[in-house]
Amino acid sequence: MGTEKRITAADLSKHDTTSSAWLAVNGTVYDFTEFAPTHPGGSEIIYRFAGKDASGEYNQIHAPTLVEKTLSAKRIGPINMPPPQSTAKPTAPKPISTPVSSVAVPDAPLSLTDKLNLDDFERAAEQVFSPKAWAFINGGSNDLITLGLNRSMLNRIMFRPAIFRKVASVSTKTTLFGCDLAIPAFICPMGTTRLAGPEAEIAQTKGAAASGSIQCISTAASFPLDDILEATPKQAWFQLYVNSDRKITEALVRKITNDGRVKALFITVDLPVVSKREADERVKADNKAVTNPALSKGNNSQGVAKSVSSWFDANLSWDDIAWLRGLTHLPIIVKGIQRYEDAKLAMEYGCDGILISNHGGRAVDGAVPSILTLLEIRKKCPEVFSKLKVLVDGGFRRGSDIIKAMCLGASAVGFGRPFMYALQHGQPGVEHVFNILRDELETGMRLCGMTDIDSDPSPKYINTRDLDYLVDGDELPPLRQKL
Ligand code: HEM
Ligand SMILES: Cc1cc2nc3c(=O)[nH]c(=O)nc-3n(C[C@H](O)[C@H](O)[C@H](O)COP(=O)(O)O)c2cc1C
């Protein structure tokens, strides 16, 4: 590239309109004119940086390879000015102990190995994440009611431990959708992951593999899908947001089907439209340092959540399961089940599984906490469990929480935010979270008198009286043979 003509800052600044929008990203100028209206994060952010260097904003959210791969045909050339010093608050997380970037290590509140539980990761994240990252990741919708209930309801289930059960040796292994799992836990799909740490989904997929588990890759991942799959040694699941342009989704589903490493397809249905996330909006409103007045459409206070959701298809229906089925042979799992009637419909429409989820309290606020939906499905339509795999996420933070869900018939539990907080430490952080969960799971099983997570869990091991009155129905019949 030595002889390539360099673009000057003056050249770049002339392309600051919707009809010619050039942006510099990491030393290279690209023509974003055609791409801007289709940008999943909204066109406004692109236009705001038209004619300018967007590296600071871009790198918080996306991996360097994303623009290189997506817009290689629109590359104009190298820029001859250094990337600007960000005028916004710093947003890249600062590592605590295991450095994941060249940022200086601050006074360490807790080293990685000193972190004893998943809440330790959350507390540390609050200290080291930028305000924007913390608001987006930790936040939920409206008054955070469902966010809080997800966890507090789990805490209202009590164990009924059995004694004299020869628990010296226990097995936490399971198999799901053709994947062997060391514990029945997986990394939930999460978008904009790079806000939490530069290695983002790469660290998550490698960390999951090293721990014998699996990541469900989000449609809205920070890294290009190819990069994540290349880093995935064996197996991954994929989460689908259906694009209003169905052709884009069809190509994507065919691609992941043909890849071979993707073993299951999760279609997310609990967020047909954008939800209201106020912490997120407030931080965004605070961060108006760089604007392009010529292009401003008046409202640039929408937060990360609002802008990322504008490309979702809000017209999905149960009939679209047949459309998906026509595109892939992979197991299809509906993510975002929040009532027993929909669990039954998923069964009737031939889905292979459901993931009970309210998006971690990020969809409609006031929705039933996930553990209660699981209880409701057990009481109202227990037949679902023999036809479908039932997974659950939302507020799970302990190995013992996994046992509670398994006792109610779940096949596996998803963990979201803890694996974002783990990214402070990159891959070692992800592995440490899995280690903690496995250790807590084994200990909890032994203390409850279980030896095999696949066959032992049953309602006999838990007391749900504190929740039962919230769902009417009969006493729970056991699902598994051994009590
Ligand atoms: C070819 C290049 C790009 C691609 C393929 C791309 C893709 C995406 C995708 C898929 C999302 C949605 C993430 C989610 O739902 O969690 C997104 C969000 C976002 N993108 Fe991009 N993007 C590109 C360029 C840029 C550039 C140049 C900027 C900065 C000027 C940018 C800033 C953002 C921001 C800030 C969000 C999150 C929403 C927000 O904070 O308002 N992107 N982008
Ligand atoms: C920062 C963040 C981003 C998320 N992005 C997605 C996504 O792209 N697709 C999706 O289906 N769910 C997404 N979710 C929801 C998670 O998959 C999962 O349902 C939820 O986080 C589980 O709750 P927990 O965080 O309490 O464990 C996201 C959650 C968070 C916290």
Side-chain angles (χ1 to χ4, degrees), residues 56-57 59-61 86 88-95 122 124-139 192-197 279-280 283-284 286-287 304 420-421 424:
E57 185 75 15
N59 287 325
Q60 290 169 36
I61 307 272
S86 175
K89 290 176 189 167
T91 52
K94 305 167 212 63
E122 177 167 341
E126 186 173 9
Q127 287 178 270
V128 299
F129 277 14
S130 69
K132 178 175 173 176
W134 178 250
F136 180 61
I137 295 164
N138 180 262
T192 345
T193 310
R194 207 157 191 257
L195 277 173
D280 202 38
V283 174
K284 197 64 181 284
D286 249 16
N287 188 13
V304 179
M420 282 287 218
Y421 304 139
Q424 299 159 59

Side-chain angles (χ1 to χ4, degrees), residues 149-470:
L149 285 177
N150 271 345
R151 187 143 188 211
S152 61
M153 286 273 174
L154 257 169
N155 292 340
R156 285 165 58 180
I157 295 180
M158 292 166 281
F159 285 113
R160 302 182 64 245
I163 56 170
F164 285 138
R165 288 292 180 97
K166 295 191 179 175
V167 292
S169 156
V170 296
S171 167
T172 59
K173 290 187 193 146
T174 192
T175 305
L176 195 54
F177 307 126
C179 302
D180 293 327
L181 303 179
I183 57 171
F186 61 95
I187 304 183
C188 289
M190 286 173 290
T192 345
T193 310
R194 207 157 191 257
L195 277 173
E199 297 167 71
E201 296 88 7
I202 305 294
Q204 289 177 337
T205 198
K206 287 184 176 172
S211 310
S213 187
I214 198 159
Q215 177 192 22
C216 188
I217 303 167
S218 165
T219 308
S222 298
F223 275 85
L225 178 58
D226 286 338
D227 290 11
I228 305 172
L229 289 174
E230 264 164 42
T232 301
K234 203 168 137 203
Q235 57 193 23
W237 294 334
F238 185 80
Q239 174 268 325
L240 186 69
Y241 280 130
V242 175
N243 199 300
S244 338
D245 181 348
R246 292 289 178 101
K247 289 206 168 55
I248 294 178
T249 296
E250 288 175 4
L252 183 58
V253 172
R254 292 207 175 91
K255 181 185 168 81
I256 58 133
T257 303
N258 294 335
D259 179 80
R261 275 161 296 199
V262 176
K263 309 292 184 192
L265 180 65
F266 290 63
I267 171 170
T268 297
V269 293
D270 55 7
L271 214 57
V273 294
V274 75
S275 62
K276 191 163 183 250
R277 306 201 193 137
E278 290 170 11
D280 202 38
E281 289 183 38
R282 283 189 216 287
V283 174
K284 197 64 181 284
D286 249 16
N287 188 13
K288 287 186 193 164
V290 188
T291 53
N292 185 340
L295 300 163
S296 171
K297 296 196 183 90
N299 171 22
N300 51 13
S301 70
Q302 59 175 12
V304 179
K306 284 219 167 187
S307 42
V308 297
S309 311
S310 47
W311 48 286
F312 299 172
D313 187 343
N315 268 336
L316 283 176
S317 76
W318 283 106
D319 293 334
D320 288 312
I321 298 296
W323 165 72
L324 261 191
R325 185 42 80 220
L327 298 172
T328 183
H329 62 264
L330 293 173
I332 296 175
I333 298 98
V334 179
K335 177 176 188 280
I337 296 285
Q338 297 169 83
R339 56 196 294 188
Y340 81 90
E341 294 93 331
D342 283 340
K344 278 174 93 169
L345 282 171
M347 184 178 71
E348 285 161 23
Y349 276 84
C351 299
D352 301 279
I354 54 173
L355 171 45
I356 299 168
S357 176
N358 44 50
H359 225 96
R362 297 161 80 86
V364 62
D365 197 25
V368 176
S370 296
I371 194 71
L372 195 58
T373 308
L374 178 60
L375 184 65
E376 182 181 286
I377 297 172
R378 273 305 312 273
K379 285 180 182 249
K380 299 281 198 179
C381 48
E383 68 276 15
V384 162
F385 293 83
S386 54
K387 298 270 167 42
L388 298 177
K389 294 293 181 194
V390 177
L391 288 69
V392 61
D393 75 25
F396 290 81
R397 296 295 180 265
R398 291 277 186 190
S400 53
D401 291 340
I402 302 175
I403 302 176
K404 292 177 182 177
M406 300 289 284
C407 285
L408 285 173
S411 293
V413 171
F415 289 76
R417 293 177 184 83
F419 284 107
M420 282 287 218
Y421 304 139
L423 290 177
Q424 299 159 59
H425 302 280
Q427 183 180 340
V430 175
E431 290 178 32
H432 194 55
V433 169
F434 274 118
N435 281 339
I436 290 172
L437 286 175
R438 192 178 56 239
D439 186 55
E440 289 182 351
L441 177 60
E442 285 180 356
T443 307
M445 286 172 65
R446 290 192 170 100
L447 293 174
C448 286
M450 296 179 198
T451 53
D452 185 351
I453 199 68
D454 244 359
S455 57
D456 284 350
S458 108
K460 293 285 175 200
Y461 286 97
I462 50 174
N463 179 326
T464 56
R465 288 282 183 270
D466 203 17
L467 303 188
D468 284 342
Y469 72 99
L470 295 169

